Amino acid sequence: MTQIEYPSVLLIYTGGTIGMIENPETGALEAFNYDQLQDNVPELKRFNYRIYSYQYNPP
């Protein structure tokens, strides 16, 4: 059986506003959980990339 190799992307989030989302209850900006990236941006699945993420805690 042949396994298809897909390109990989590694996202490293070190902090900052670009990686934040608004909390709908409080309106405050909070760090985005990149483990849920493809759930929140389903269009990324169309590119057939394996997406890995690492984020510092705290950012």
Side-chain angles (χ1 to χ4, degrees):
M1 179 187 266
T2 305
Q3 188 174 14
I4 299 173
E5 287 291 322
Y6 293 105
S8 297
V9 174
L10 173 62
L11 296 170
I12 301 173
Y13 177 58
T14 61
T17 307
I18 197 166
M20 302 185 106
I21 58 172
E22 183 179 351
N23 180 319
E25 295 174 7
T26 64
L29 289 178
E30 298 177 346
F32 180 74
N33 182 349
Y34 282 91
D35 292 335
Q36 300 171 356
L37 181 64
Q38 288 188 323
D39 295 334
N40 289 290
V41 187
E43 296 83 2
L44 291 174
K45 294 176 185 174
R46 296 175 27 195
F47 293 110
N48 290 325
Y49 292 124
R50 289 182 299 181
I51 300 177
Y52 301 98
S53 64
Y54 178 82
Q55 55 193 81
Y56 288 88
N57 188 13

